[in-house]
C-alpha cells in the first residue's frame, strides 16, 4: 500500500506489528474494543500497515498497568493525564507536559484535541490536504 509523504511523493507503507496494552478505563470508554479509531492508531496507520500482534514491534501503553513489560519491543507511553514516563521502562512518550523534554523521545500535546467537539476539528485538520475530484470541481 502506498501513501504520500510531505512532498507529495508516493511511498510504500511498511508493515508494523502493534499491540495496545494497559490502556486506561477512559481510553476504553472512548474507544471500547475499537482502538483503531483512536488518534494514535489513525496517525500511525498513515505511514504503516498496522498489524495486531501478540509479538509486537510497538507496544502502545498507558500508565496503569504492567502487561507492557511482557513485550520486548519499542514501547510508546501515552497519557492524557499528568504523568511523566519512566524512560527506563518506555522508549517514547506522548504526554501533556508542554515543558517536558527528553531528547527527541517525548512529544507533548493538548488533550482537548482528542475529546469532545474538538475531536471533530482535529479530524478535519488532519484531513486538510486530502481532497477529491469533486472538491476540485467545486473550487
Amino acid at each position: 500500500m502506498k501513501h504520500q509523504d510531505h512532498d507529495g511523493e508516493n511511498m510504500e507503507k511498511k508493515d508494523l506489528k502493534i499491540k495496545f496494552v494497559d490502556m486506561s478505563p477512559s481510553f476504553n470508554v472512548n474507544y471500547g474494543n475499537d482502538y483503531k479509531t483512536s488518534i494514535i492508531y489513525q496517525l500511525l496507520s498513515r505511514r504503516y500497515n498496522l498489524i495486531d500482534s501478540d509479538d509486537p514491534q510497538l507496544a502502545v501503553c498507558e500508565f496503569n498497568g504492567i502487561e507492557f513489560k511482557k513485550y520486548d519491543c519499542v514501547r510508546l507511553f501515552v497519557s492524557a493525564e499528568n504523568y511523566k514516563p519512566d524512560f527506563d521502562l518506555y522508549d517514547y512518550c506522548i504526554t501533556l507536559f508542554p515543558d517536558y523534554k527528553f531528547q527527541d523521545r517525548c512529544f507533548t500535546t493538548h488533550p482537548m484535541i482528542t475529546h469532545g467537539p474538538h475531536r471533530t476539528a482535529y479530524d478535519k485538520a488532519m484531513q486538510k490536504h486530502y481532497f477529491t475530484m469533486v472538491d476540485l470541481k467545486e473550487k
Side-chain angles (χ1 to χ4, degrees), residues 58-59 61-63 68-69 73-79 83-97 99-108:
L58 174 66
C61 326
E62 280 190 320
F63 60 89
F68 74 94
K69 292 180 182 182
C73 63
V74 175
R75 297 172 183 162
L76 172 62
F77 173 90
V78 295
S79 180
Y83 291 98
K84 292 182 180 179
D86 178 347
F87 280 108
D88 289 331
L89 300 174
Y90 302 97
D91 298 293
Y92 297 95
C93 80
I94 299 173
T95 187
L96 301 182
F97 290 98
D99 60 341
Y100 189 53
K101 303 287 183 243
F102 191 83
Q103 300 165 7
D104 65 346
R105 296 168 55 186
C106 187
F107 174 77
T108 58

Side-chain angles (χ1 to χ4, degrees), residues 16-19 51-59 70-73:
L16 178 65
K17 295 186 293 182
I18 189 169
K19 179 89 173 172
I51 302 165
D52 294 335
S53 177
D54 288 328
D55 182 27
Q57 296 166 288
L58 174 66
K70 293 192 288 186
Y71 301 102
D72 185 22
C73 63

Side-chain angles (χ1 to χ4, degrees), residues 24-37:
S24 70
S26 65
F27 183 92
N28 295 329
V29 165
N30 287 329
Y31 302 110
N33 292 328
D34 194 12
Y35 59 88
K36 293 180 180 181
T37 61

